[in-house]
Amino acid sequence: MFDNDKIIWFDCCCPIYSFITKWRYVLRYSNRFWKFFVSVKLTVVLLLSLAVTSIVGTVIPQNENPAAYFRAYGEFVYKLFDLLGIFDMYHSWWFQLLILLLTINIVVCSIDRLSATWKIIFVKNPSFNLSRFRTLSQKEVFTGKQNPKELSTVYETVISRQFGYTRVEETDKGLCIFAEKWRWTRFGVYIVHFSVILLLLGGLIGSLFGFEGFAIIPEDEKIDSIRIRNTGQVRSLGFEVLCDDFNISFYDNGTPKEYRSSLTIIEHGKPVHKKDIIVNDPLRYKGINIFQSSYGKMPSGTLQNKKIHKKDPPEDITLNFASKKSGKAYKIKAVIGKPVDIPEGLGKFVIIEYRKSADFGGQNIGQTYMGILTPKDKDPVNIMLPLHFPNFDKMRRGAVVISVAEQKTKIFNPGEKSNQRYYTGLQITKDPGVWVVYTGFIGMIIGIFITFFMSHQRLCIEIVKRGKKSDVIITGTANKNKLAMQDRIKKISEKLINL
Amino acid sequence: MNSSVLLSITTFTYGLAAFLYIASWVFKKPLSGRLAFWVALIGVVGNTAGIIMRWVESYRLGIGHAPLSNMYESLVFFSWTIVIIYLVIERQYKNAVIGAFATPIAFLAMAYASMSPNVSDRIQPLIPALKSNWLIAHVITCFLGYAGFAVAFCFSLMYLVRTLTNLNLFSIQGRLARSKYLNLNIIMLIFNSFLAVICLIVYKLISFKTVYIIIAIFFLLLIQSLQLLIYFFQSIKRLHDLDRPGSHLLLSLIPIYNIYFNLVLLFKEGTRDVNQYGHPDQYSDDTAIGLLGILPIRRILDELTHQMVMFGFLFLSIGIITGAVWANSAWGSYWSWDPKETWSLITWFVYATFLHARMMRGWSGKRIAYLSILGFMAVIFTYFGVNLLPGLHSYGLG
Ligand code: HEM
């Protein structure tokens, strides 16, 4: 009766208890969910699926121009692949789903086993099962010259040097020394799995709160915003980056040795940070990293004249229209102010002016045609066609990519620096998740090392009285690498014989 | 003498060691095995000296860097680690037969490095992206991992060879279990790939006189027809196992249908009980005699495979991680799914599967050997195949 009352009391009045019962209730109903995700069979299936599907993205180039895909695969396959997200497969819903399933799998599996492992790991007085040790087939046996009591005190001091925990117990036949070490290494595998989760989490943080962009800065100029890769959006940095100087040096055989940009960070009009960056040695400021990524030569003329000139365009302008739908490209001659019809009914385009040096998001992009594109049934858009960045219009992701064909640029000649003005190409990124990922990296290495190469070792030295002498029987177990444990027992036995 | 010459000599030393190990196994001459150990040891010394000399030479050229910067140098390092790992194992397990499988791989890697026209042994200056200590850590750890997997692959191969106990290669009497038939096929496939690599190297190496070409072709034809014969005999025995007459082998001449036919031969279980061709083939036991009997027993091979995979997995993980850190310091993103990266991840997934299948699903033996072989295929592809794919990874090209 009393017990029953107590339970009822707990049930109504103790919030923790009722929480647990409710939780159980939920658990029972999500039992199928749990059973599904707790299985290592699922892990094997998921890991193999990830391995196999990942191959696809290495065979089919990722994130290329749709027109190129269209040309390469034809309409039907293109549409099919596009639907399946094959052209950006590592970010497609089904690949992300596989990763999500793996994550749930790890979490569920870890929780499930952790409760059991926890009890094994955190015990004050480890229990030893003497009869289990006695049944072990591999044992070292010898005869000690003293009685069990004397031997055990000698042995215990020796053993305690190697093992963290020792205990002497009386048995039915004499004495027994138990020893063990590295119980905590049973935890290693959880460190590995937790690290996997950290890696994924860090990646998620990075993709949610970070960005990856690029900027081009001519020498002696500065920018305060960058272009985001893939989307082409402009993003403000919150400070300015000034390129004081760009230098390139070469080995004797002509291969590049070093690209070096001297950068200054300017905040509120004041220089706050200065650094020369080279590949592999970026500048980091306020969580934003600036990497040396490319370089180039400014078109001549911009050095002397940075003003906008409206009226001295090159005579011949040939425009290139690449249709995304058909993948075809059309070359058409154009004159400023005179609209041209784009083939395939893609609309009209007119060049309205030529600038010797145009500005885009705070960057100087050199000689540029400004134009207006009027797609069919849509509002006109402003288009910039910089001569030196033929892929510039791709970033707009429109139905047609417009560029200037047949530009007459000089071929770049390395080493020639006189009077030459360079621009530096910078990769600018922010990734707040990177420290989570790095923690995962370290955890993974440590965890794998512990899991593979350390084991929970238990030793049992039984000393049985036989007249004035004693029989000594040494056995031991390890949760991993049992062969090495046999060796260790042999060594210990050799040591103890000679005492 | 410069490092290239020394490393070429090393190549031949490894070749000699491989030859001696194989001879020791096939002709059961332990003396040859002991000799092979010392030859391999001399090879390692030469290999080590070659690596150090190359390092010194690069400084003399004024472009000093650790000799781990291109395909040639990484292959040399790879062979070096394989042989060292192998020698340590030989000392521990006192079984020289393992060398008959491990040293040929080291020899092939070295030979490919020194002699393939696709691989330049010139000391090249480092381009800016490769100037990083992370890169050195990355290459060393990756190749330690690969070497571990290569040795694991040897053990798995030996495992498969050992499952062929009581297999008479040149008889059509009796029956053949499907797993033995499958394993035999895998072994032949691997053997032929090795042979193809050797032919390629030799072919590119020497400008032949016609006589040599004829001799070489003759030898190849001999080997191939021998294989065909073996294949023919075993297929008939496999048909017996399915309670079908050997004459059904003619069905494999029918196009399209023969695909199905071969799948049946490979995977269909034989009749359970005695049939007109005799008792079921008991496909395995550890009472093997003769050539197979000298191989370590299967339990040990299984255990050794697992240990080498653990070694490899630790270092491959560190390799991928240091590579990611390097990428992050060079271009600001630690992972960009380029083919080389992705393939090392694929390899990693395969071996993670291996570990879980073994530890948690209790897989062992044959299936574990298959997974280990599959993993090593992924390693090979990561290393050589990726250059055939479209991508950005400049490193690794000749
Ligand atoms: C990429 C992801 C993963 C990696 C790198 C990984 C790595 C490892 C490693 C290294 C071990 C130790 C194996 C050994 O002792 O030899 C292990 C064991 C294990 N893994 Fe994973 N694992 C991953 C995913 C998973 C997932 C998704 C599950 C979910 C079920 C899982 C469940 C287990 C279990 C139950 C063990 C055995 C733990 C024990 O010995 O008590 N692993 N894993």
Side-chain angles (χ1 to χ4, degrees), chain B residues 20-71:
Chain B
L20 287 172
Y21 273 123
I22 293 174
S24 140
W25 178 40
V26 175
F27 303 109
K28 297 184 195 138
K29 294 270 182 284
L31 182 67
S32 168
R34 239 170 293 146
L35 195 62
F37 175 83
W38 290 105
V39 174
L41 202 63
I42 292 172
V44 168
V45 173
N47 202 338
T48 315
I51 292 174
I52 294 172
M53 265 169 83
R54 203 174 157 87
W55 204 333
V56 173
E57 281 163 20
S58 79
Y59 273 93
R60 271 206 213 114
L61 289 172
I63 49 175
H65 57 79
L68 295 164
S69 71
N70 59 18
M71 178 79 121

Short mmCIF file of all heavy atoms in Angstrom, two decimals, chain B residues 20-71:
data_model
loop_
_atom_site.label_atom_id
_atom_site.label_comp_id
_atom_site.label_asym_id
_atom_site.label_seq_id
_atom_site.Cartn_x
_atom_site.Cartn_y
_atom_site.Cartn_z
N LEU B 20 62.78 -12.27 -55.11
CA LEU B 20 63.24 -13.24 -54.12
C LEU B 20 62.11 -13.69 -53.21
O LEU B 20 61.99 -14.87 -52.87
CB LEU B 20 64.37 -12.64 -53.29
CG LEU B 20 65.72 -12.52 -54.02
CD1 LEU B 20 66.71 -11.75 -53.16
CD2 LEU B 20 66.26 -13.90 -54.35
N TYR B 21 61.25 -12.72 -52.81
CA TYR B 21 60.14 -13.08 -51.94
C TYR B 21 59.20 -14.06 -52.63
O TYR B 21 58.77 -15.05 -52.06
CB TYR B 21 59.36 -11.83 -51.51
CG TYR B 21 59.91 -11.16 -50.28
CD1 TYR B 21 60.30 -9.83 -50.31
CD2 TYR B 21 60.03 -11.87 -49.08
CE1 TYR B 21 60.79 -9.21 -49.18
CE2 TYR B 21 60.52 -11.25 -47.95
CZ TYR B 21 60.91 -9.92 -48.00
OH TYR B 21 61.40 -9.31 -46.89
N ILE B 22 58.91 -13.75 -53.91
CA ILE B 22 57.99 -14.63 -54.63
C ILE B 22 58.62 -16.01 -54.81
O ILE B 22 57.97 -17.04 -54.59
CB ILE B 22 57.63 -14.01 -56.00
CG1 ILE B 22 56.81 -12.74 -55.77
CG2 ILE B 22 56.83 -14.99 -56.84
CD1 ILE B 22 56.49 -11.96 -57.00
N ALA B 23 59.92 -15.99 -55.15
CA ALA B 23 60.61 -17.28 -55.34
C ALA B 23 60.60 -18.07 -54.04
O ALA B 23 60.35 -19.28 -54.04
CB ALA B 23 62.04 -17.02 -55.79
N SER B 24 60.81 -17.36 -52.94
CA SER B 24 60.85 -18.05 -51.66
C SER B 24 59.50 -18.70 -51.36
O SER B 24 59.43 -19.77 -50.77
CB SER B 24 61.22 -17.05 -50.57
OG SER B 24 60.49 -17.27 -49.40
N TRP B 25 58.44 -18.02 -51.79
CA TRP B 25 57.11 -18.57 -51.54
C TRP B 25 56.83 -19.76 -52.48
O TRP B 25 56.47 -20.84 -52.04
CB TRP B 25 56.07 -17.47 -51.75
CG TRP B 25 54.65 -17.93 -51.57
CD1 TRP B 25 54.19 -18.81 -50.62
CD2 TRP B 25 53.53 -17.56 -52.36
NE1 TRP B 25 52.84 -19.00 -50.76
CE2 TRP B 25 52.40 -18.23 -51.81
CE3 TRP B 25 53.35 -16.71 -53.45
CZ2 TRP B 25 51.13 -18.09 -52.35
CZ3 TRP B 25 52.07 -16.56 -53.96
CH2 TRP B 25 50.98 -17.24 -53.42
N VAL B 26 57.06 -19.52 -53.78
CA VAL B 26 56.68 -20.52 -54.76
C VAL B 26 57.55 -21.77 -54.64
O VAL B 26 57.05 -22.89 -54.71
CB VAL B 26 56.77 -19.95 -56.18
CG1 VAL B 26 56.50 -21.03 -57.22
CG2 VAL B 26 55.76 -18.82 -56.34
N PHE B 27 58.87 -21.58 -54.44
CA PHE B 27 59.75 -22.75 -54.38
C PHE B 27 60.03 -23.18 -52.95
O PHE B 27 60.88 -24.02 -52.71
CB PHE B 27 61.05 -22.46 -55.13
CG PHE B 27 60.81 -22.09 -56.56
CD1 PHE B 27 61.01 -20.79 -57.01
CD2 PHE B 27 60.32 -23.02 -57.46
CE1 PHE B 27 60.77 -20.44 -58.32
CE2 PHE B 27 60.06 -22.68 -58.77
CZ PHE B 27 60.29 -21.39 -59.20
N LYS B 28 59.34 -22.55 -52.02
CA LYS B 28 59.47 -22.92 -50.60
C LYS B 28 60.90 -22.92 -50.13
O LYS B 28 61.39 -23.89 -49.56
CB LYS B 28 58.84 -24.29 -50.37
CG LYS B 28 57.36 -24.28 -50.68
CD LYS B 28 56.74 -25.61 -50.36
CE LYS B 28 55.39 -25.67 -51.01
NZ LYS B 28 55.09 -26.93 -51.62
N LYS B 29 61.61 -21.84 -50.44
CA LYS B 29 63.00 -21.74 -49.98
C LYS B 29 63.10 -20.60 -48.98
O LYS B 29 63.16 -19.43 -49.35
CB LYS B 29 63.93 -21.43 -51.17
CG LYS B 29 64.01 -22.55 -52.19
CD LYS B 29 65.12 -23.52 -51.84
CE LYS B 29 65.25 -24.62 -52.88
NZ LYS B 29 64.19 -25.66 -52.77
N PRO B 30 63.12 -20.95 -47.70
CA PRO B 30 63.19 -19.90 -46.66
C PRO B 30 64.43 -19.04 -46.81
O PRO B 30 64.41 -17.85 -46.49
CB PRO B 30 63.23 -20.69 -45.35
CG PRO B 30 62.83 -22.08 -45.69
CD PRO B 30 63.08 -22.29 -47.14
N LEU B 31 65.51 -19.65 -47.31
CA LEU B 31 66.76 -18.91 -47.45
C LEU B 31 66.55 -17.70 -48.36
O LEU B 31 66.98 -16.58 -48.06
CB LEU B 31 67.84 -19.82 -48.02
CG LEU B 31 69.21 -19.14 -48.17
CD1 LEU B 31 69.78 -18.83 -46.80
CD2 LEU B 31 70.16 -20.00 -48.97
N SER B 32 65.85 -17.95 -49.45
CA SER B 32 65.56 -16.88 -50.39
C SER B 32 64.78 -15.76 -49.70
O SER B 32 65.02 -14.58 -49.94
CB SER B 32 64.77 -17.45 -51.58
OG SER B 32 64.26 -16.43 -52.35
N GLY B 33 63.87 -16.15 -48.81
CA GLY B 33 63.10 -15.16 -48.08
C GLY B 33 63.98 -14.32 -47.17
O GLY B 33 63.82 -13.11 -47.07
N ARG B 34 64.93 -15.00 -46.50
CA ARG B 34 65.81 -14.24 -45.60
C ARG B 34 66.68 -13.28 -46.39
O ARG B 34 66.91 -12.15 -46.00
CB ARG B 34 66.67 -15.21 -44.78
CG ARG B 34 66.45 -15.03 -43.28
CD ARG B 34 67.12 -16.13 -42.50
NE ARG B 34 66.48 -17.43 -42.76
CZ ARG B 34 67.14 -18.59 -42.80
NH1 ARG B 34 68.44 -18.61 -42.60
NH2 ARG B 34 66.50 -19.72 -43.01
N LEU B 35 67.16 -13.78 -47.54
CA LEU B 35 67.95 -12.92 -48.42
C LEU B 35 67.11 -11.71 -48.85
O LEU B 35 67.57 -10.56 -48.83
CB LEU B 35 68.38 -13.74 -49.64
CG LEU B 35 69.48 -13.15 -50.49
CD1 LEU B 35 70.74 -13.02 -49.65
CD2 LEU B 35 69.73 -14.02 -51.71
N ALA B 36 65.86 -11.99 -49.21
CA ALA B 36 64.97 -10.93 -49.67
C ALA B 36 64.82 -9.83 -48.62
O ALA B 36 64.80 -8.64 -48.94
CB ALA B 36 63.60 -11.51 -50.00
N PHE B 37 64.76 -10.23 -47.36
CA PHE B 37 64.64 -9.25 -46.29
C PHE B 37 65.79 -8.26 -46.35
O PHE B 37 65.61 -7.05 -46.30
CB PHE B 37 64.60 -9.95 -44.94
CG PHE B 37 64.60 -9.01 -43.77
CD1 PHE B 37 63.41 -8.43 -43.35
CD2 PHE B 37 65.78 -8.67 -43.11
CE1 PHE B 37 63.39 -7.54 -42.29
CE2 PHE B 37 65.76 -7.78 -42.04
CZ PHE B 37 64.56 -7.22 -41.64
N TRP B 38 67.00 -8.81 -46.50
CA TRP B 38 68.17 -7.92 -46.51
C TRP B 38 68.20 -7.05 -47.76
O TRP B 38 68.56 -5.87 -47.70
CB TRP B 38 69.46 -8.72 -46.38
CG TRP B 38 69.57 -9.31 -44.98
CD1 TRP B 38 69.38 -10.61 -44.62
CD2 TRP B 38 69.81 -8.58 -43.77
NE1 TRP B 38 69.48 -10.75 -43.26
CE2 TRP B 38 69.75 -9.52 -42.71
CE3 TRP B 38 70.06 -7.24 -43.47
CZ2 TRP B 38 69.93 -9.15 -41.38
CZ3 TRP B 38 70.25 -6.88 -42.14
CH2 TRP B 38 70.19 -7.83 -41.12
N VAL B 39 67.80 -7.66 -48.88
CA VAL B 39 67.75 -6.86 -50.11
C VAL B 39 66.76 -5.71 -49.95
O VAL B 39 67.03 -4.56 -50.30
CB VAL B 39 67.37 -7.75 -51.32
CG1 VAL B 39 67.18 -6.91 -52.55
CG2 VAL B 39 68.44 -8.80 -51.55
N ALA B 40 65.59 -6.03 -49.38
CA ALA B 40 64.58 -4.98 -49.18
C ALA B 40 65.12 -3.90 -48.25
O ALA B 40 64.88 -2.71 -48.45
CB ALA B 40 63.30 -5.59 -48.61
N LEU B 41 65.87 -4.36 -47.24
CA LEU B 41 66.44 -3.39 -46.30
C LEU B 41 67.42 -2.46 -47.02
O LEU B 41 67.41 -1.24 -46.81
CB LEU B 41 67.14 -4.13 -45.16
CG LEU B 41 67.31 -3.34 -43.87
CD1 LEU B 41 65.95 -2.99 -43.30
CD2 LEU B 41 68.10 -4.15 -42.86
N ILE B 42 68.26 -3.05 -47.87
CA ILE B 42 69.19 -2.22 -48.66
C ILE B 42 68.39 -1.24 -49.51
O ILE B 42 68.72 -0.06 -49.62
CB ILE B 42 70.07 -3.12 -49.56
CG1 ILE B 42 71.02 -3.93 -48.68
CG2 ILE B 42 70.88 -2.25 -50.54
CD1 ILE B 42 71.81 -4.98 -49.45
N GLY B 43 67.29 -1.75 -50.10
CA GLY B 43 66.42 -0.88 -50.88
C GLY B 43 65.93 0.31 -50.07
O GLY B 43 65.96 1.45 -50.54
N VAL B 44 65.51 0.05 -48.83
CA VAL B 44 65.02 1.14 -47.99
C VAL B 44 66.11 2.16 -47.73
O VAL B 44 65.88 3.38 -47.78
CB VAL B 44 64.47 0.59 -46.66
CG1 VAL B 44 64.23 1.73 -45.68
CG2 VAL B 44 63.19 -0.17 -46.88
N VAL B 45 67.31 1.65 -47.47
CA VAL B 45 68.42 2.57 -47.21
C VAL B 45 68.66 3.45 -48.44
O VAL B 45 68.77 4.68 -48.34
CB VAL B 45 69.71 1.78 -46.86
CG1 VAL B 45 70.89 2.73 -46.77
CG2 VAL B 45 69.51 1.06 -45.55
N GLY B 46 68.69 2.81 -49.63
CA GLY B 46 68.86 3.58 -50.86
C GLY B 46 67.74 4.57 -51.06
O GLY B 46 67.96 5.73 -51.43
N ASN B 47 66.53 4.12 -50.77
CA ASN B 47 65.36 4.98 -50.92
C ASN B 47 65.47 6.20 -50.01
O ASN B 47 65.25 7.34 -50.43
CB ASN B 47 64.13 4.13 -50.54
CG ASN B 47 62.85 4.67 -51.13
OD1 ASN B 47 62.78 5.85 -51.47
ND2 ASN B 47 61.84 3.84 -51.24
N THR B 48 65.84 5.94 -48.75
CA THR B 48 65.99 7.03 -47.79
C THR B 48 67.05 8.02 -48.27
O THR B 48 66.83 9.24 -48.29
CB THR B 48 66.42 6.48 -46.42
OG1 THR B 48 65.63 5.35 -46.13
CG2 THR B 48 66.28 7.52 -45.34
N ALA B 49 68.21 7.45 -48.67
CA ALA B 49 69.30 8.31 -49.14
C ALA B 49 68.85 9.13 -50.35
O ALA B 49 69.16 10.32 -50.45
CB ALA B 49 70.51 7.46 -49.49
N GLY B 50 68.11 8.47 -51.24
CA GLY B 50 67.63 9.16 -52.43
C GLY B 50 66.75 10.35 -52.07
O GLY B 50 66.89 11.44 -52.63
N ILE B 51 65.85 10.14 -51.11
CA ILE B 51 64.95 11.23 -50.71
C ILE B 51 65.76 12.38 -50.13
O ILE B 51 65.56 13.55 -50.48
CB ILE B 51 63.91 10.71 -49.70
CG1 ILE B 51 62.96 9.74 -50.39
CG2 ILE B 51 63.15 11.86 -49.08
CD1 ILE B 51 61.97 9.06 -49.46
N ILE B 52 66.73 12.03 -49.26
CA ILE B 52 67.53 13.09 -48.62
C ILE B 52 68.36 13.84 -49.67
O ILE B 52 68.41 15.07 -49.66
CB ILE B 52 68.43 12.48 -47.52
CG1 ILE B 52 67.57 11.93 -46.40
CG2 ILE B 52 69.40 13.53 -46.98
CD1 ILE B 52 68.32 11.15 -45.36
N MET B 53 68.96 13.04 -50.59
CA MET B 53 69.79 13.70 -51.61
C MET B 53 68.97 14.66 -52.45
O MET B 53 69.40 15.75 -52.81
CB MET B 53 70.41 12.65 -52.54
CG MET B 53 71.80 12.24 -52.12
SD MET B 53 72.31 10.83 -53.04
CE MET B 53 72.89 11.59 -54.52
N ARG B 54 67.76 14.24 -52.75
CA ARG B 54 66.90 15.07 -53.58
C ARG B 54 66.59 16.39 -52.87
O ARG B 54 66.54 17.45 -53.47
CB ARG B 54 65.62 14.31 -53.87
CG ARG B 54 64.92 14.80 -55.09
CD ARG B 54 63.76 13.92 -55.41
NE ARG B 54 62.83 14.70 -56.21
CZ ARG B 54 62.88 14.80 -57.52
NH1 ARG B 54 63.79 14.17 -58.20
NH2 ARG B 54 62.02 15.55 -58.17
N TRP B 55 66.41 16.26 -51.57
CA TRP B 55 66.15 17.44 -50.76
C TRP B 55 67.34 18.41 -50.85
O TRP B 55 67.19 19.59 -51.12
CB TRP B 55 65.93 16.99 -49.31
CG TRP B 55 65.13 17.92 -48.47
CD1 TRP B 55 65.01 19.27 -48.63
CD2 TRP B 55 64.32 17.57 -47.35
NE1 TRP B 55 64.19 19.78 -47.67
CE2 TRP B 55 63.75 18.76 -46.87
CE3 TRP B 55 64.04 16.37 -46.68
CZ2 TRP B 55 62.90 18.78 -45.76
CZ3 TRP B 55 63.20 16.40 -45.58
CH2 TRP B 55 62.64 17.59 -45.14
N VAL B 56 68.53 17.83 -50.65
CA VAL B 56 69.75 18.64 -50.70
C VAL B 56 69.90 19.27 -52.08
O VAL B 56 70.20 20.46 -52.21
CB VAL B 56 70.97 17.77 -50.35
CG1 VAL B 56 72.26 18.56 -50.57
CG2 VAL B 56 70.88 17.27 -48.92
N GLU B 57 69.68 18.45 -53.12
CA GLU B 57 69.83 18.97 -54.48
C GLU B 57 68.92 20.16 -54.74
O GLU B 57 69.31 21.12 -55.41
CB GLU B 57 69.52 17.86 -55.50
CG GLU B 57 70.67 16.89 -55.70
CD GLU B 57 70.23 15.61 -56.37
OE1 GLU B 57 69.16 15.61 -57.02
OE2 GLU B 57 70.93 14.60 -56.25
N SER B 58 67.70 20.08 -54.21
CA SER B 58 66.78 21.18 -54.46
C SER B 58 67.32 22.47 -53.84
O SER B 58 67.16 23.55 -54.40
CB SER B 58 65.39 20.86 -53.92
OG SER B 58 65.34 21.05 -52.53
N TYR B 59 68.00 22.33 -52.70
CA TYR B 59 68.59 23.54 -52.11
C TYR B 59 69.76 24.04 -52.94
O TYR B 59 69.96 25.24 -53.09
CB TYR B 59 69.02 23.27 -50.66
CG TYR B 59 67.87 23.51 -49.72
CD1 TYR B 59 67.04 22.46 -49.33
CD2 TYR B 59 67.57 24.80 -49.26
CE1 TYR B 59 65.96 22.68 -48.51
CE2 TYR B 59 66.49 25.02 -48.43
CZ TYR B 59 65.69 23.97 -48.05
OH TYR B 59 64.62 24.20 -47.25
N ARG B 60 70.52 23.10 -53.51
CA ARG B 60 71.63 23.52 -54.37
C ARG B 60 71.12 24.28 -55.57
O ARG B 60 71.77 25.17 -56.09
CB ARG B 60 72.43 22.31 -54.83
CG ARG B 60 73.52 22.02 -53.83
CD ARG B 60 74.68 21.32 -54.43
NE ARG B 60 75.21 20.46 -53.40
CZ ARG B 60 75.18 19.15 -53.45
NH1 ARG B 60 74.71 18.53 -54.51
NH2 ARG B 60 75.64 18.45 -52.46
N LEU B 61 69.95 23.90 -56.05
CA LEU B 61 69.38 24.59 -57.20
C LEU B 61 68.78 25.93 -56.82
O LEU B 61 68.27 26.66 -57.66
CB LEU B 61 68.30 23.73 -57.85
CG LEU B 61 68.77 22.48 -58.61
CD1 LEU B 61 67.58 21.64 -59.01
CD2 LEU B 61 69.58 22.89 -59.83
N GLY B 62 68.78 26.19 -55.51
CA GLY B 62 68.23 27.46 -55.07
C GLY B 62 66.72 27.48 -54.98
O GLY B 62 66.10 28.54 -54.87
N ILE B 63 66.10 26.32 -55.07
CA ILE B 63 64.64 26.28 -54.97
C ILE B 63 64.24 25.29 -53.90
O ILE B 63 63.33 24.49 -54.05
CB ILE B 63 63.99 25.87 -56.31
CG1 ILE B 63 64.70 24.63 -56.86
CG2 ILE B 63 64.07 27.00 -57.31
CD1 ILE B 63 64.05 24.10 -58.11
N GLY B 64 64.99 25.34 -52.77
CA GLY B 64 64.86 24.31 -51.76
C GLY B 64 63.45 24.07 -51.26
O GLY B 64 62.74 25.00 -50.91
N HIS B 65 63.07 22.82 -51.27
CA HIS B 65 61.80 22.44 -50.64
C HIS B 65 61.82 20.95 -50.35
O HIS B 65 62.58 20.19 -50.95
CB HIS B 65 60.61 22.81 -51.52
CG HIS B 65 60.67 22.20 -52.89
ND1 HIS B 65 60.33 20.90 -53.14
CD2 HIS B 65 61.02 22.73 -54.08
CE1 HIS B 65 60.46 20.65 -54.42
NE2 HIS B 65 60.89 21.74 -55.02
N ALA B 66 60.97 20.53 -49.43
CA ALA B 66 60.90 19.10 -49.10
C ALA B 66 60.49 18.32 -50.34
O ALA B 66 59.68 18.79 -51.12
CB ALA B 66 59.88 18.89 -47.98
N PRO B 67 61.09 17.14 -50.51
CA PRO B 67 60.82 16.40 -51.75
C PRO B 67 59.46 15.69 -51.72
O PRO B 67 59.38 14.47 -51.72
CB PRO B 67 61.97 15.38 -51.80
CG PRO B 67 62.35 15.19 -50.39
CD PRO B 67 62.06 16.46 -49.66
N LEU B 68 58.42 16.47 -51.66
CA LEU B 68 57.06 15.92 -51.60
C LEU B 68 56.13 16.75 -52.44
O LEU B 68 54.99 16.97 -52.09
CB LEU B 68 56.56 15.93 -50.15
CG LEU B 68 57.31 15.06 -49.15
CD1 LEU B 68 56.96 15.48 -47.74
CD2 LEU B 68 56.96 13.61 -49.35
N SER B 69 56.66 17.29 -53.55
CA SER B 69 55.86 18.32 -54.21
C SER B 69 55.26 17.89 -55.53
O SER B 69 54.50 18.62 -56.10
CB SER B 69 56.72 19.56 -54.44
OG SER B 69 57.67 19.28 -55.43
N ASN B 70 55.59 16.71 -56.03
CA ASN B 70 54.92 16.29 -57.26
C ASN B 70 54.72 14.79 -57.29
O ASN B 70 55.04 14.08 -56.33
CB ASN B 70 55.69 16.77 -58.49
CG ASN B 70 57.10 16.22 -58.51
OD1 ASN B 70 57.42 15.26 -57.82
ND2 ASN B 70 57.95 16.83 -59.30
N MET B 71 54.16 14.31 -58.36
CA MET B 71 53.81 12.90 -58.48
C MET B 71 55.02 12.01 -58.23
O MET B 71 54.95 11.04 -57.46
CB MET B 71 53.27 12.68 -59.89
CG MET B 71 52.91 11.26 -60.20
SD MET B 71 51.33 10.85 -59.50
CE MET B 71 50.43 10.38 -60.94
#
